[in-house]
Amino acid sequence: GAVVSQHPSWVICKSGTSVKIECRSLDFQATTMFWYRQFPKQSLMLMATSNEGSKATYEQGVEKDKFLINHASLTLSTLTVTSAHPEDSSFYICSAREPGQTQETQYFGPGTRLLVL
Amino acid sequence: AQSVTQLGSHVSVSEGALVLLRCNYSSSVPPYLFWYVQYPNQGLQLLLKYTSAATLVKGINGFEAEFKKSETSFHLTKPSAHMSDAAEYFCAVSPGGGNKLTFGTGTQLKVEL
């Protein structure tokens, strides 16, 4: 089956620094990738949708200048949390969809746990 | 707008017993409904999905779910629990197959000997 990886699996950083999270589709090309955030005991919340070669579409309430998304190739999307603060500590999950797949078909990565001190 | 409510953040069953994980949804348009499972340190894996065809949907690992419009429910069941079923389960809804998935808060299933 389709596999999506994320790196790193967890990261601890100091407040004010930036953190980059990578999402890779390992055995397929992903024209569309999604980024989610999950706070403890809460549901996954969609942050943004990115299409290869174009700007990401952010959900309402998500700061695009704080959460920079780059989808420069068909197998890689990156999420950069800029000037991270403790309230950004969360579990970040990406998913990817193959071209031609039905819209609801998404393959999920294992997530990246971010802790901002 | 759509939303999902999963009743019970933790469910514990004995091995061999019936598994019932509850999911109720709200959607302003005919929904597509999904159940995902997440094992430790792995990504969400699709168990099954309802996309407006048969109301009883069978998925992987012996799980099934029934779409009940009158009850706005999509409960997940398995006749006999196995130790390997221990995981976190997420119900999700999307508006008629649109991009956006809205997830519930998840139910942690524990299977005891």
Side-chain angles (χ1 to χ4, degrees):
Chain A
V3 178
V4 174
S5 71
Q6 283 184 239
H7 178 80
S9 56
W10 60 270
V11 57
I12 301 173
C13 69
K14 292 182 179 179
S15 185
T17 60
S18 294
V19 174
K20 180 184 285 188
I21 301 170
E22 294 184 348
C23 176
R24 292 181 185 274
S25 56
L26 297 185
D27 49 3
F28 67 100
Q29 293 185 328
T31 48
T32 304
M33 288 184 168
F34 305 88
W35 285 96
Y36 295 85
R37 179 170 53 184
Q38 184 182 25
F39 291 109
K41 301 191 184 303
Q42 295 186 28
S43 62
L44 283 75
M45 298 296 295
L46 181 65
M47 299 174 66
T49 301
S50 74
N51 292 295
E52 187 266 336
S54 62
K55 290 184 179 180
T57 303
Y58 289 81
E59 294 298 302
Q60 192 173 8
V62 178
E63 300 175 57
K64 62 180 181 181
D65 294 331
K66 181 169 185 61
F67 298 99
L68 301 178
I69 292 172
N70 185 289
H71 191 167
S73 79
L74 286 172
T75 59
L76 174 65
S77 176
T78 60
L79 168 68
T80 301
V81 183
T82 62
S83 186
H85 288 93
E87 58 265 30
D88 298 322
S89 298
S90 188
F91 193 48
Y92 293 86
I93 301 170
C94 74
S95 69
R97 190 175 73 208
E98 292 182 83
Q101 285 282 0
T102 51
Q103 288 187 322
E104 73 276 7
T105 301
Q106 299 180 27
Y107 302 103
F108 286 83
T112 296
R113 196 164 297 280
L114 170 64
L115 176 61
V116 184
L117 302 176
Chain B
Q2 57 274 343
S3 66
V4 172
T5 302
Q6 290 185 242
L7 296 174
S9 58
H10 291 82
V11 170
S12 183
V13 300
S14 299
E15 190 174 34
L18 171 72
V19 175
L20 171 61
L21 304 183
R22 299 179 186 273
C23 172
N24 288 88
Y25 70 91
S26 172
S27 179
S28 55
V29 299
Y32 284 15
L33 292 157
F34 310 81
W35 275 100
Y36 288 88
V37 61
Q38 186 176 32
Y39 298 102
N41 301 315
Q42 296 185 28
L44 276 74
Q45 178 183 357
L46 182 64
L47 269 181
L48 49 79
K49 63 182 178 182
Y50 165 77
T51 57
S52 76
T55 56
L56 181 62
V57 181
K58 294 186 184 298
I60 61 173
N61 301 338
F63 284 93
E64 63 181 38
E66 186 172 9
F67 172 68
K68 291 187 177 180
K69 184 179 179 180
S70 61
E71 299 177 9
T72 61
S73 69
F74 190 59
H75 301 330
L76 181 70
T77 61
K78 181 174 180 177
S80 177
H82 192 273
M83 295 296 288
S84 61
D85 295 326
E88 186 148 24
Y89 293 79
F90 292 92
C91 182
V93 62
S94 79
N99 273 336
K100 187 173 180 177
L101 283 171
T102 299
F103 286 86
T105 51
T107 298
Q108 187 73 41
L109 175 65
K110 183 178 179 181
V111 181
E112 299 173 321
L113 289 172

